[in-house]
mmCIF file with all atom_site columns, all heavy atoms in Angstrom:
data_model
loop_
_atom_site.group_PDB
_atom_site.id
_atom_site.type_symbol
_atom_site.label_atom_id
_atom_site.label_alt_id
_atom_site.label_comp_id
_atom_site.label_asym_id
_atom_site.label_entity_id
_atom_site.label_seq_id
_atom_site.pdbx_PDB_ins_code
_atom_site.Cartn_x
_atom_site.Cartn_y
_atom_site.Cartn_z
_atom_site.occupancy
_atom_site.B_iso_or_equiv
_atom_site.pdbx_formal_charge
_atom_site.auth_seq_id
_atom_site.auth_comp_id
_atom_site.auth_asym_id
_atom_site.auth_atom_id
_atom_site.pdbx_PDB_model_num
ATOM 1   N N   . GLY A 1 1  ? 125.237 92.204  110.577 1.00 80.00 ? 1  GLY A N   1
ATOM 2   C CA  . GLY A 1 1  ? 125.532 90.939  111.235 1.00 80.00 ? 1  GLY A CA  1
ATOM 3   C C   . GLY A 1 1  ? 125.492 91.057  112.754 1.00 80.00 ? 1  GLY A C   1
ATOM 4   O O   . GLY A 1 1  ? 125.442 92.156  113.317 1.00 80.00 ? 1  GLY A O   1
ATOM 5   N N   . LYS A 1 2  ? 125.533 89.922  113.426 1.00 79.00 ? 2  LYS A N   1
ATOM 6   C CA  . LYS A 1 2  ? 125.502 89.911  114.898 1.00 79.00 ? 2  LYS A CA  1
ATOM 7   C C   . LYS A 1 2  ? 126.718 90.593  115.491 1.00 79.00 ? 2  LYS A C   1
ATOM 8   O O   . LYS A 1 2  ? 126.686 91.097  116.612 1.00 79.00 ? 2  LYS A O   1
ATOM 9   C CB  . LYS A 1 2  ? 125.406 88.465  115.401 1.00 79.00 ? 2  LYS A CB  1
ATOM 10  C CG  . LYS A 1 2  ? 124.057 87.812  115.097 1.00 79.00 ? 2  LYS A CG  1
ATOM 11  C CD  . LYS A 1 2  ? 124.005 86.386  115.593 1.00 79.00 ? 2  LYS A CD  1
ATOM 12  C CE  . LYS A 1 2  ? 122.657 85.745  115.252 1.00 79.00 ? 2  LYS A CE  1
ATOM 13  N NZ  . LYS A 1 2  ? 122.596 84.320  115.677 1.00 79.00 ? 2  LYS A NZ  1
ATOM 14  N N   . ASP A 1 3  ? 127.816 90.604  114.702 1.00 81.00 ? 3  ASP A N   1
ATOM 15  C CA  . ASP A 1 3  ? 129.042 91.249  115.196 1.00 81.00 ? 3  ASP A CA  1
ATOM 16  C C   . ASP A 1 3  ? 129.043 92.759  114.921 1.00 81.00 ? 3  ASP A C   1
ATOM 17  O O   . ASP A 1 3  ? 130.027 93.452  115.186 1.00 81.00 ? 3  ASP A O   1
ATOM 18  C CB  . ASP A 1 3  ? 130.270 90.605  114.546 1.00 81.00 ? 3  ASP A CB  1
ATOM 19  C CG  . ASP A 1 3  ? 130.266 90.739  113.029 1.00 81.00 ? 3  ASP A CG  1
ATOM 20  O OD1 . ASP A 1 3  ? 129.250 91.221  112.482 1.00 81.00 ? 3  ASP A OD1 1
ATOM 21  O OD2 . ASP A 1 3  ? 131.272 90.363  112.403 1.00 81.00 ? 3  ASP A OD2 1
ATOM 22  N N   . GLY A 1 4  ? 127.931 93.251  114.371 1.00 75.00 ? 4  GLY A N   1
ATOM 23  C CA  . GLY A 1 4  ? 127.841 94.692  114.124 1.00 75.00 ? 4  GLY A CA  1
ATOM 24  C C   . GLY A 1 4  ? 128.282 95.110  112.734 1.00 75.00 ? 4  GLY A C   1
ATOM 25  O O   . GLY A 1 4  ? 128.114 96.262  112.344 1.00 75.00 ? 4  GLY A O   1
ATOM 26  N N   . SER A 1 5  ? 128.864 94.165  111.984 1.00 82.00 ? 5  SER A N   1
ATOM 27  C CA  . SER A 1 5  ? 129.326 94.505  110.632 1.00 82.00 ? 5  SER A CA  1
ATOM 28  C C   . SER A 1 5  ? 128.125 94.714  109.707 1.00 82.00 ? 5  SER A C   1
ATOM 29  O O   . SER A 1 5  ? 127.056 94.145  109.928 1.00 82.00 ? 5  SER A O   1
ATOM 30  C CB  . SER A 1 5  ? 130.203 93.380  110.078 1.00 82.00 ? 5  SER A CB  1
ATOM 31  O OG  . SER A 1 5  ? 129.439 92.190  109.962 1.00 82.00 ? 5  SER A OG  1
ATOM 32  N N   . SER A 1 6  ? 128.290 95.549  108.694 1.00 84.00 ? 6  SER A N   1
ATOM 33  C CA  . SER A 1 6  ? 127.177 95.828  107.784 1.00 84.00 ? 6  SER A CA  1
ATOM 34  C C   . SER A 1 6  ? 127.554 95.509  106.341 1.00 84.00 ? 6  SER A C   1
ATOM 35  O O   . SER A 1 6  ? 128.717 95.601  105.951 1.00 84.00 ? 6  SER A O   1
ATOM 36  C CB  . SER A 1 6  ? 126.759 97.294  107.889 1.00 84.00 ? 6  SER A CB  1
ATOM 37  O OG  . SER A 1 6  ? 127.787 98.137  107.398 1.00 84.00 ? 6  SER A OG  1
ATOM 38  N N   . GLN A 1 7  ? 126.549 95.127  105.588 1.00 88.00 ? 7  GLN A N   1
ATOM 39  C CA  . GLN A 1 7  ? 126.733 94.838  104.170 1.00 88.00 ? 7  GLN A CA  1
ATOM 40  C C   . GLN A 1 7  ? 125.531 95.405  103.423 1.00 88.00 ? 7  GLN A C   1
ATOM 41  O O   . GLN A 1 7  ? 124.387 95.224  103.854 1.00 88.00 ? 7  GLN A O   1
ATOM 42  C CB  . GLN A 1 7  ? 126.811 93.319  103.971 1.00 88.00 ? 7  GLN A CB  1
ATOM 43  C CG  . GLN A 1 7  ? 127.000 92.898  102.529 1.00 88.00 ? 7  GLN A CG  1
ATOM 44  C CD  . GLN A 1 7  ? 127.015 91.374  102.397 1.00 88.00 ? 7  GLN A CD  1
ATOM 45  O OE1 . GLN A 1 7  ? 127.171 90.650  103.379 1.00 88.00 ? 7  GLN A OE1 1
ATOM 46  N NE2 . GLN A 1 7  ? 126.839 90.887  101.177 1.00 88.00 ? 7  GLN A NE2 1
ATOM 47  N N   . VAL A 1 8  ? 125.786 96.144  102.347 1.00 89.00 ? 8  VAL A N   1
ATOM 48  C CA  . VAL A 1 8  ? 124.692 96.731  101.567 1.00 89.00 ? 8  VAL A CA  1
ATOM 49  C C   . VAL A 1 8  ? 124.472 95.886  100.318 1.00 89.00 ? 8  VAL A C   1
ATOM 50  O O   . VAL A 1 8  ? 125.394 95.643  99.553  1.00 89.00 ? 8  VAL A O   1
ATOM 51  C CB  . VAL A 1 8  ? 124.995 98.190  101.173 1.00 89.00 ? 8  VAL A CB  1
ATOM 52  C CG1 . VAL A 1 8  ? 123.896 98.744  100.267 1.00 89.00 ? 8  VAL A CG1 1
ATOM 53  C CG2 . VAL A 1 8  ? 125.135 99.057  102.420 1.00 89.00 ? 8  VAL A CG2 1
ATOM 54  N N   . GLU A 1 9  ? 123.247 95.420  100.144 1.00 89.00 ? 9  GLU A N   1
ATOM 55  C CA  . GLU A 1 9  ? 122.913 94.593  98.997  1.00 89.00 ? 9  GLU A CA  1
ATOM 56  C C   . GLU A 1 9  ? 121.937 95.324  98.079  1.00 89.00 ? 9  GLU A C   1
ATOM 57  O O   . GLU A 1 9  ? 121.069 96.067  98.550  1.00 89.00 ? 9  GLU A O   1
ATOM 58  C CB  . GLU A 1 9  ? 122.288 93.263  99.448  1.00 89.00 ? 9  GLU A CB  1
ATOM 59  C CG  . GLU A 1 9  ? 123.293 92.307  100.067 1.00 89.00 ? 9  GLU A CG  1
ATOM 60  C CD  . GLU A 1 9  ? 122.819 90.854  100.002 1.00 89.00 ? 9  GLU A CD  1
ATOM 61  O OE1 . GLU A 1 9  ? 121.674 90.618  99.579  1.00 89.00 ? 9  GLU A OE1 1
ATOM 62  O OE2 . GLU A 1 9  ? 123.615 89.972  100.385 1.00 89.00 ? 9  GLU A OE2 1
ATOM 63  N N   . ASN A 1 10 ? 122.084 95.108  96.774  1.00 90.00 ? 10 ASN A N   1
ATOM 64  C CA  . ASN A 1 10 ? 121.179 95.681  95.779  1.00 90.00 ? 10 ASN A CA  1
ATOM 65  C C   . ASN A 1 10 ? 120.370 94.558  95.141  1.00 90.00 ? 10 ASN A C   1
ATOM 66  O O   . ASN A 1 10 ? 120.937 93.634  94.561  1.00 90.00 ? 10 ASN A O   1
ATOM 67  C CB  . ASN A 1 10 ? 121.967 96.425  94.706  1.00 90.00 ? 10 ASN A CB  1
ATOM 68  C CG  . ASN A 1 10 ? 122.535 97.733  95.216  1.00 90.00 ? 10 ASN A CG  1
ATOM 69  O OD1 . ASN A 1 10 ? 121.883 98.777  95.137  1.00 90.00 ? 10 ASN A OD1 1
ATOM 70  N ND2 . ASN A 1 10 ? 123.744 97.704  95.747  1.00 90.00 ? 10 ASN A ND2 1
ATOM 71  N N   . ILE A 1 11 ? 119.059 94.653  95.273  1.00 90.00 ? 11 ILE A N   1
ATOM 72  C CA  . ILE A 1 11 ? 118.187 93.637  94.692  1.00 90.00 ? 11 ILE A CA  1
ATOM 73  C C   . ILE A 1 11 ? 118.148 93.826  93.171  1.00 90.00 ? 11 ILE A C   1
ATOM 74  O O   . ILE A 1 11 ? 118.219 94.949  92.675  1.00 90.00 ? 11 ILE A O   1
ATOM 75  C CB  . ILE A 1 11 ? 116.773 93.758  95.299  1.00 90.00 ? 11 ILE A CB  1
ATOM 76  C CG1 . ILE A 1 11 ? 116.837 93.384  96.800  1.00 90.00 ? 11 ILE A CG1 1
ATOM 77  C CG2 . ILE A 1 11 ? 115.768 92.879  94.582  1.00 90.00 ? 11 ILE A CG2 1
ATOM 78  C CD1 . ILE A 1 11 ? 115.572 93.675  97.572  1.00 90.00 ? 11 ILE A CD1 1
ATOM 79  N N   . GLN A 1 12 ? 118.061 92.726  92.447  1.00 91.00 ? 12 GLN A N   1
ATOM 80  C CA  . GLN A 1 12 ? 117.984 92.767  90.973  1.00 91.00 ? 12 GLN A CA  1
ATOM 81  C C   . GLN A 1 12 ? 116.955 93.804  90.533  1.00 91.00 ? 12 GLN A C   1
ATOM 82  O O   . GLN A 1 12 ? 115.827 93.835  91.043  1.00 91.00 ? 12 GLN A O   1
ATOM 83  C CB  . GLN A 1 12 ? 117.582 91.381  90.452  1.00 91.00 ? 12 GLN A CB  1
ATOM 84  C CG  . GLN A 1 12 ? 117.450 91.277  88.947  1.00 91.00 ? 12 GLN A CG  1
ATOM 85  C CD  . GLN A 1 12 ? 118.785 91.306  88.220  1.00 91.00 ? 12 GLN A CD  1
ATOM 86  O OE1 . GLN A 1 12 ? 119.823 91.037  88.795  1.00 91.00 ? 12 GLN A OE1 1
ATOM 87  N NE2 . GLN A 1 12 ? 118.742 91.667  86.947  1.00 91.00 ? 12 GLN A NE2 1
ATOM 88  N N   . PRO A 1 13 ? 117.315 94.699  89.601  1.00 92.00 ? 13 PRO A N   1
ATOM 89  C CA  . PRO A 1 13 ? 116.394 95.777  89.199  1.00 92.00 ? 13 PRO A CA  1
ATOM 90  C C   . PRO A 1 13 ? 115.055 95.261  88.672  1.00 92.00 ? 13 PRO A C   1
ATOM 91  O O   . PRO A 1 13 ? 114.992 94.223  88.023  1.00 92.00 ? 13 PRO A O   1
ATOM 92  C CB  . PRO A 1 13 ? 117.163 96.493  88.079  1.00 92.00 ? 13 PRO A CB  1
ATOM 93  C CG  . PRO A 1 13 ? 118.590 96.162  88.312  1.00 92.00 ? 13 PRO A CG  1
ATOM 94  C CD  . PRO A 1 13 ? 118.604 94.782  88.887  1.00 92.00 ? 13 PRO A CD  1
ATOM 95  N N   . PHE A 1 14 ? 114.003 96.012  88.979  1.00 94.00 ? 14 PHE A N   1
ATOM 96  C CA  . PHE A 1 14 ? 112.666 95.711  88.455  1.00 94.00 ? 14 PHE A CA  1
ATOM 97  C C   . PHE A 1 14 ? 112.425 96.582  87.226  1.00 94.00 ? 14 PHE A C   1
ATOM 98  O O   . PHE A 1 14 ? 112.660 97.787  87.250  1.00 94.00 ? 14 PHE A O   1
ATOM 99  C CB  . PHE A 1 14 ? 111.594 96.013  89.508  1.00 94.00 ? 14 PHE A CB  1
ATOM 100 C CG  . PHE A 1 14 ? 111.743 95.239  90.785  1.00 94.00 ? 14 PHE A CG  1
ATOM 101 C CD1 . PHE A 1 14 ? 111.911 95.897  91.992  1.00 94.00 ? 14 PHE A CD1 1
ATOM 102 C CD2 . PHE A 1 14 ? 111.712 93.849  90.783  1.00 94.00 ? 14 PHE A CD2 1
ATOM 103 C CE1 . PHE A 1 14 ? 112.050 95.196  93.182  1.00 94.00 ? 14 PHE A CE1 1
ATOM 104 C CE2 . PHE A 1 14 ? 111.846 93.128  91.971  1.00 94.00 ? 14 PHE A CE2 1
ATOM 105 C CZ  . PHE A 1 14 ? 112.017 93.801  93.175  1.00 94.00 ? 14 PHE A CZ  1
ATOM 106 N N   . SER A 1 15 ? 111.933 95.962  86.157  1.00 93.00 ? 15 SER A N   1
ATOM 107 C CA  . SER A 1 15 ? 111.608 96.692  84.923  1.00 93.00 ? 15 SER A CA  1
ATOM 108 C C   . SER A 1 15 ? 110.123 97.049  84.924  1.00 93.00 ? 15 SER A C   1
ATOM 109 O O   . SER A 1 15 ? 109.361 96.632  85.806  1.00 93.00 ? 15 SER A O   1
ATOM 110 C CB  . SER A 1 15 ? 111.913 95.809  83.711  1.00 93.00 ? 15 SER A CB  1
ATOM 111 O OG  . SER A 1 15 ? 111.040 94.676  83.712  1.00 93.00 ? 15 SER A OG  1
ATOM 112 N N   . ALA A 1 16 ? 109.705 97.802  83.922  1.00 92.00 ? 16 ALA A N   1
ATOM 113 C CA  . ALA A 1 16 ? 108.290 98.149  83.797  1.00 92.00 ? 16 ALA A CA  1
ATOM 114 C C   . ALA A 1 16 ? 107.438 96.877  83.664  1.00 92.00 ? 16 ALA A C   1
ATOM 115 O O   . ALA A 1 16 ? 106.335 96.803  84.208  1.00 92.00 ? 16 ALA A O   1
ATOM 116 C CB  . ALA A 1 16 ? 108.075 99.056  82.594  1.00 92.00 ? 16 ALA A CB  1
ATOM 117 N N   . LYS A 1 17 ? 107.971 95.886  82.970  1.00 93.00 ? 17 LYS A N   1
ATOM 118 C CA  . LYS A 1 17 ? 107.241 94.623  82.802  1.00 93.00 ? 17 LYS A CA  1
ATOM 119 C C   . LYS A 1 17 ? 107.055 93.941  84.159  1.00 93.00 ? 17 LYS A C   1
ATOM 120 O O   . LYS A 1 17 ? 105.961 93.457  84.473  1.00 93.00 ? 17 LYS A O   1
ATOM 121 C CB  . LYS A 1 17 ? 108.011 93.701  81.846  1.00 93.00 ? 17 LYS A CB  1
ATOM 122 C CG  . LYS A 1 17 ? 107.280 92.404  81.533  1.00 93.00 ? 17 LYS A CG  1
ATOM 123 C CD  . LYS A 1 17 ? 108.072 91.540  80.562  1.00 93.00 ? 17 LYS A CD  1
ATOM 124 C CE  . LYS A 1 17 ? 107.339 90.231  80.281  1.00 93.00 ? 17 LYS A CE  1
ATOM 125 N NZ  . LYS A 1 17 ? 108.120 89.344  79.384  1.00 93.00 ? 17 LYS A NZ  1
ATOM 126 N N   . ASP A 1 18 ? 108.124 93.914  84.960  1.00 92.00 ? 18 ASP A N   1
ATOM 127 C CA  . ASP A 1 18 ? 108.035 93.316  86.306  1.00 92.00 ? 18 ASP A CA  1
ATOM 128 C C   . ASP A 1 18 ? 106.973 94.024  87.139  1.00 92.00 ? 18 ASP A C   1
ATOM 129 O O   . ASP A 1 18 ? 106.160 93.391  87.830  1.00 92.00 ? 18 ASP A O   1
ATOM 130 C CB  . ASP A 1 18 ? 109.378 93.414  87.040  1.00 92.00 ? 18 ASP A CB  1
ATOM 131 C CG  . ASP A 1 18 ? 110.487 92.636  86.349  1.00 92.00 ? 18 ASP A CG  1
ATOM 132 O OD1 . ASP A 1 18 ? 110.194 91.572  85.769  1.00 92.00 ? 18 ASP A OD1 1
ATOM 133 O OD2 . ASP A 1 18 ? 111.645 93.102  86.392  1.00 92.00 ? 18 ASP A OD2 1
ATOM 134 N N   . LEU A 1 19 ? 106.981 95.357  87.092  1.00 92.00 ? 19 LEU A N   1
ATOM 135 C CA  . LEU A 1 19 ? 106.096 96.140  87.952  1.00 92.00 ? 19 LEU A CA  1
ATOM 136 C C   . LEU A 1 19 ? 104.658 96.148  87.449  1.00 92.00 ? 19 LEU A C   1
ATOM 137 O O   . LEU A 1 19 ? 103.742 96.481  88.203  1.00 92.00 ? 19 LEU A O   1
ATOM 138 C CB  . LEU A 1 19 ? 106.626 97.575  88.076  1.00 92.00 ? 19 LEU A CB  1
ATOM 139 C CG  . LEU A 1 19 ? 108.016 97.680  88.740  1.00 92.00 ? 19 LEU A CG  1
ATOM 140 C CD1 . LEU A 1 19 ? 108.481 99.134  88.777  1.00 92.00 ? 19 LEU A CD1 1
ATOM 141 C CD2 . LEU A 1 19 ? 108.024 97.096  90.147  1.00 92.00 ? 19 LEU A CD2 1
ATOM 142 N N   . SER A 1 20 ? 104.456 95.765  86.188  1.00 90.00 ? 20 SER A N   1
ATOM 143 C CA  . SER A 1 20 ? 103.083 95.643  85.682  1.00 90.00 ? 20 SER A CA  1
ATOM 144 C C   . SER A 1 20 ? 102.467 94.333  86.176  1.00 90.00 ? 20 SER A C   1
ATOM 145 O O   . SER A 1 20 ? 101.245 94.202  86.264  1.00 90.00 ? 20 SER A O   1
ATOM 146 C CB  . SER A 1 20 ? 103.057 95.698  84.151  1.00 90.00 ? 20 SER A CB  1
ATOM 147 O OG  . SER A 1 20 ? 103.685 94.542  83.600  1.00 90.00 ? 20 SER A OG  1
ATOM 148 N N   . ILE A 1 21 ? 103.322 93.362  86.491  1.00 91.00 ? 21 ILE A N   1
ATOM 149 C CA  . ILE A 1 21 ? 102.857 92.075  87.020  1.00 91.00 ? 21 ILE A CA  1
ATOM 150 C C   . ILE A 1 21 ? 102.553 92.196  88.511  1.00 91.00 ? 21 ILE A C   1
ATOM 151 O O   . ILE A 1 21 ? 101.538 91.730  89.009  1.00 91.00 ? 21 ILE A O   1
ATOM 152 C CB  . ILE A 1 21 ? 103.918 90.975  86.777  1.00 91.00 ? 21 ILE A CB  1
ATOM 153 C CG1 . ILE A 1 21 ? 104.100 90.759  85.271  1.00 91.00 ? 21 ILE A CG1 1
ATOM 154 C CG2 . ILE A 1 21 ? 103.534 89.677  87.475  1.00 91.00 ? 21 ILE A CG2 1
ATOM 155 C CD1 . ILE A 1 21 ? 105.304 89.901  84.909  1.00 91.00 ? 21 ILE A CD1 1
ATOM 156 N N   . ARG A 1 22 ? 103.470 92.843  89.235  1.00 91.00 ? 22 ARG A N   1
ATOM 157 C CA  . ARG A 1 22 ? 103.280 93.074  90.675  1.00 91.00 ? 22 ARG A CA  1
ATOM 158 C C   . ARG A 1 22 ? 103.883 94.432  91.006  1.00 91.00 ? 22 ARG A C   1
ATOM 159 O O   . ARG A 1 22 ? 105.028 94.710  90.676  1.00 91.00 ? 22 ARG A O   1
ATOM 160 C CB  . ARG A 1 22 ? 103.948 91.969  91.489  1.00 91.00 ? 22 ARG A CB  1
ATOM 161 C CG  . ARG A 1 22 ? 103.602 92.047  92.979  1.00 91.00 ? 22 ARG A CG  1
ATOM 162 C CD  . ARG A 1 22 ? 103.730 90.679  93.641  1.00 91.00 ? 22 ARG A CD  1
ATOM 163 N NE  . ARG A 1 22 ? 103.335 90.719  95.045  1.00 91.00 ? 22 ARG A NE  1
ATOM 164 C CZ  . ARG A 1 22 ? 102.066 90.777  95.469  1.00 91.00 ? 22 ARG A CZ  1
ATOM 165 N NH1 . ARG A 1 22 ? 101.082 90.823  94.586  1.00 91.00 ? 22 ARG A NH1 1
ATOM 166 N NH2 . ARG A 1 22 ? 101.777 90.795  96.756  1.00 91.00 ? 22 ARG A NH2 1
ATOM 167 N N   . SER A 1 23 ? 103.100 95.266  91.658  1.00 92.00 ? 23 SER A N   1
ATOM 168 C CA  . SER A 1 23 ? 103.512 96.651  91.879  1.00 92.00 ? 23 SER A CA  1
ATOM 169 C C   . SER A 1 23 ? 104.715 96.749  92.813  1.00 92.00 ? 23 SER A C   1
ATOM 170 O O   . SER A 1 23 ? 105.010 95.827  93.589  1.00 92.00 ? 23 SER A O   1
ATOM 171 C CB  . SER A 1 23 ? 102.350 97.452  92.475  1.00 92.00 ? 23 SER A CB  1
ATOM 172 O OG  . SER A 1 23 ? 102.151 97.083  93.839  1.00 92.00 ? 23 SER A OG  1
ATOM 173 N N   . LEU A 1 24 ? 105.381 97.887  92.749  1.00 92.00 ? 24 LEU A N   1
ATOM 174 C CA  . LEU A 1 24 ? 106.544 98.124  93.612  1.00 92.00 ? 24 LEU A CA  1
ATOM 175 C C   . LEU A 1 24 ? 106.155 98.062  95.079  1.00 92.00 ? 24 LEU A C   1
ATOM 176 O O   . LEU A 1 24 ? 106.856 97.460  95.900  1.00 92.00 ? 24 LEU A O   1
ATOM 177 C CB  . LEU A 1 24 ? 107.160 99.482  93.287  1.00 92.00 ? 24 LEU A CB  1
ATOM 178 C CG  . LEU A 1 24 ? 108.402 99.863  94.107  1.00 92.00 ? 24 LEU A CG  1
ATOM 179 C CD1 . LEU A 1 24 ? 109.565 98.910  93.824  1.00 92.00 ? 24 LEU A CD1 1
ATOM 180 C CD2 . LEU A 1 24 ? 108.824 101.302 93.804  1.00 92.00 ? 24 LEU A CD2 1
ATOM 181 N N   . GLY A 1 25 ? 105.025 98.655  95.429  1.00 92.00 ? 25 GLY A N   1
ATOM 182 C CA  . GLY A 1 25 ? 104.582 98.649  96.825  1.00 92.00 ? 25 GLY A CA  1
ATOM 183 C C   . GLY A 1 25 ? 104.399 97.236  97.349  1.00 92.00 ? 25 GLY A C   1
ATOM 184 O O   . GLY A 1 25 ? 104.858 96.913  98.454  1.00 92.00 ? 25 GLY A O   1
ATOM 185 N N   . ASP A 1 26 ? 103.752 96.389  96.564  1.00 92.00 ? 26 ASP A N   1
ATOM 186 C CA  . ASP A 1 26 ? 103.523 95.014  96.997  1.00 92.00 ? 26 ASP A CA  1
ATOM 187 C C   . ASP A 1 26 ? 104.823 94.216  97.063  1.00 92.00 ? 26 ASP A C   1
ATOM 188 O O   . ASP A 1 26 ? 104.991 93.354  97.930  1.00 92.00 ? 26 ASP A O   1
ATOM 189 C CB  . ASP A 1 26 ? 102.530 94.321  96.070  1.00 92.00 ? 26 ASP A CB  1
ATOM 190 C CG  . ASP A 1 26 ? 101.101 94.827  96.284  1.00 92.00 ? 26 ASP A CG  1
ATOM 191 O OD1 . ASP A 1 26 ? 100.865 95.489  97.308  1.00 92.00 ? 26 ASP A OD1 1
ATOM 192 O OD2 . ASP A 1 26 ? 100.248 94.579  95.419  1.00 92.00 ? 26 ASP A OD2 1
ATOM 193 N N   . ARG A 1 27 ? 105.743 94.490  96.162  1.00 92.00 ? 27 ARG A N   1
ATOM 194 C CA  . ARG A 1 27 ? 107.037 93.810  96.212  1.00 92.00 ? 27 ARG A CA  1
ATOM 195 C C   . ARG A 1 27 ? 107.792 94.193  97.486  1.00 92.00 ? 27 ARG A C   1
ATOM 196 O O   . ARG A 1 27 ? 108.450 93.355  98.111  1.00 92.00 ? 27 ARG A O   1
ATOM 197 C CB  . ARG A 1 27 ? 107.857 94.144  94.960  1.00 92.00 ? 27 ARG A CB  1
ATOM 198 C CG  . ARG A 1 27 ? 107.332 93.490  93.690  1.00 92.00 ? 27 ARG A CG  1
ATOM 199 C CD  . ARG A 1 27 ? 108.122 93.880  92.456  1.00 92.00 ? 27 ARG A CD  1
ATOM 200 N NE  . ARG A 1 27 ? 107.539 93.341  91.239  1.00 92.00 ? 27 ARG A NE  1
ATOM 201 C CZ  . ARG A 1 27 ? 107.763 92.133  90.744  1.00 92.00 ? 27 ARG A CZ  1
ATOM 202 N NH1 . ARG A 1 27 ? 108.590 91.307  91.367  1.00 92.00 ? 27 ARG A NH1 1
ATOM 203 N NH2 . ARG A 1 27 ? 107.189 91.727  89.622  1.00 92.00 ? 27 ARG A NH2 1
ATOM 204 N N   . ILE A 1 28 ? 107.721 95.457  97.849  1.00 92.00 ? 28 ILE A N   1
ATOM 205 C CA  . ILE A 1 28 ? 108.384 95.914  99.084  1.00 92.00 ? 28 ILE A CA  1
ATOM 206 C C   . ILE A 1 28 ? 107.726 95.271  100.301 1.00 92.00 ? 28 ILE A C   1
ATOM 207 O O   . ILE A 1 28 ? 108.400 94.849  101.246 1.00 92.00 ? 28 ILE A O   1
ATOM 208 C CB  . ILE A 1 28 ? 108.342 97.458  99.171  1.00 92.00 ? 28 ILE A CB  1
ATOM 209 C CG1 . ILE A 1 28 ? 109.305 98.052  98.134  1.00 92.00 ? 28 ILE A CG1 1
ATOM 210 C CG2 . ILE A 1 28 ? 108.684 97.954  100.573 1.00 92.00 ? 28 ILE A CG2 1
ATOM 211 C CD1 . ILE A 1 28 ? 109.215 99.540  97.970  1.00 92.00 ? 28 ILE A CD1 1
ATOM 212 N N   . ARG A 1 29 ? 106.393 95.168  100.283 1.00 91.00 ? 29 ARG A N   1
ATOM 213 C CA  . ARG A 1 29 ? 105.677 94.519  101.396 1.00 91.00 ? 29 ARG A CA  1
ATOM 214 C C   . ARG A 1 29 ? 106.088 93.050  101.518 1.00 91.00 ? 29 ARG A C   1
ATOM 215 O O   . ARG A 1 29 ? 106.264 92.536  102.620 1.00 91.00 ? 29 ARG A O   1
ATOM 216 C CB  . ARG A 1 29 ? 104.164 94.623  101.173 1.00 91.00 ? 29 ARG A CB  1
ATOM 217 C CG  . ARG A 1 29 ? 103.352 93.926  102.263 1.00 91.00 ? 29 ARG A CG  1
ATOM 218 C CD  . ARG A 1 29 ? 101.867 94.140  102.088 1.00 91.00 ? 29 ARG A CD  1
ATOM 219 N NE  . ARG A 1 29 ? 101.381 93.661  100.801 1.00 91.00 ? 29 ARG A NE  1
ATOM 220 C CZ  . ARG A 1 29 ? 100.107 93.744  100.428 1.00 91.00 ? 29 ARG A CZ  1
ATOM 221 N NH1 . ARG A 1 29 ? 99.215  94.304  101.235 1.00 91.00 ? 29 ARG A NH1 1
ATOM 222 N NH2 . ARG A 1 29 ? 99.730  93.287  99.250  1.00 91.00 ? 29 ARG A NH2 1
ATOM 223 N N   . ASP A 1 30 ? 106.288 92.395  100.372 1.00 90.00 ? 30 ASP A N   1
ATOM 224 C CA  . ASP A 1 30 ? 106.630 90.972  100.370 1.00 90.00 ? 30 ASP A CA  1
ATOM 225 C C   . ASP A 1 30 ? 108.018 90.686  100.948 1.00 90.00 ? 30 ASP A C   1
ATOM 226 O O   . ASP A 1 30 ? 108.256 89.604  101.483 1.00 90.00 ? 30 ASP A O   1
ATOM 227 C CB  . ASP A 1 30 ? 106.596 90.411  98.943  1.00 90.00 ? 30 ASP A CB  1
ATOM 228 C CG  . ASP A 1 30 ? 105.183 90.387  98.361  1.00 90.00 ? 30 ASP A CG  1
ATOM 229 O OD1 . ASP A 1 30 ? 104.222 90.505  99.147  1.00 90.00 ? 30 ASP A OD1 1
ATOM 230 O OD2 . ASP A 1 30 ? 105.046 90.258  97.139  1.00 90.00 ? 30 ASP A OD2 1
ATOM 231 N N   . LEU A 1 31 ? 108.938 91.644  100.791 1.00 90.00 ? 31 LEU A N   1
ATOM 232 C CA  . LEU A 1 31 ? 110.333 91.404  101.175 1.00 90.00 ? 31 LEU A CA  1
ATOM 233 C C   . LEU A 1 31 ? 110.526 91.681  102.670 1.00 90.00 ? 31 LEU A C   1
ATOM 234 O O   . LEU A 1 31 ? 110.631 92.832  103.103 1.00 90.00 ? 31 LEU A O   1
ATOM 235 C CB  . LEU A 1 31 ? 111.268 92.291  100.333 1.00 90.00 ? 31 LEU A CB  1
ATOM 236 C CG  . LEU A 1 31 ? 111.286 91.967  98.827  1.00 90.00 ? 31 LEU A CG  1
ATOM 237 C CD1 . LEU A 1 31 ? 111.962 93.072  98.036  1.00 90.00 ? 31 LEU A CD1 1
ATOM 238 C CD2 . LEU A 1 31 ? 111.999 90.628  98.594  1.00 90.00 ? 31 LEU A CD2 1
ATOM 239 N N   . GLY A 1 32 ? 110.575 90.602  103.441 1.00 88.00 ? 32 GLY A N   1
ATOM 240 C CA  . GLY A 1 32 ? 110.653 90.721  104.899 1.00 88.00 ? 32 GLY A CA  1
ATOM 241 C C   . GLY A 1 32 ? 111.919 91.386  105.411 1.00 88.00 ? 32 GLY A C   1
ATOM 242 O O   . GLY A 1 32 ? 111.943 91.930  106.520 1.00 88.00 ? 32 GLY A O   1
#
């Protein structure tokens, strides 16, 4: 945050089915 505080978030897990639709590399590229 702007005040320097930090928060760690975990994105919903990707399964093999998810990654067969769109690769892990491309998903990481997509997430700004």
Side-chain angles (χ1 to χ4, degrees):
K2 291 179 181 178
D3 60 354
S5 63
S6 67
Q7 180 182 344
V8 175
E9 287 202 354
N10 287 271
I11 293 170
Q12 179 72 20
F14 301 120
S15 65
K17 184 179 179 183
D18 297 326
L19 297 178
S20 67
I21 296 169
R22 189 155 183 76
S23 73
L24 181 64
D26 287 346
R27 289 178 185 275
I28 288 171
R29 178 175 59 180
D30 293 344
L31 294 167

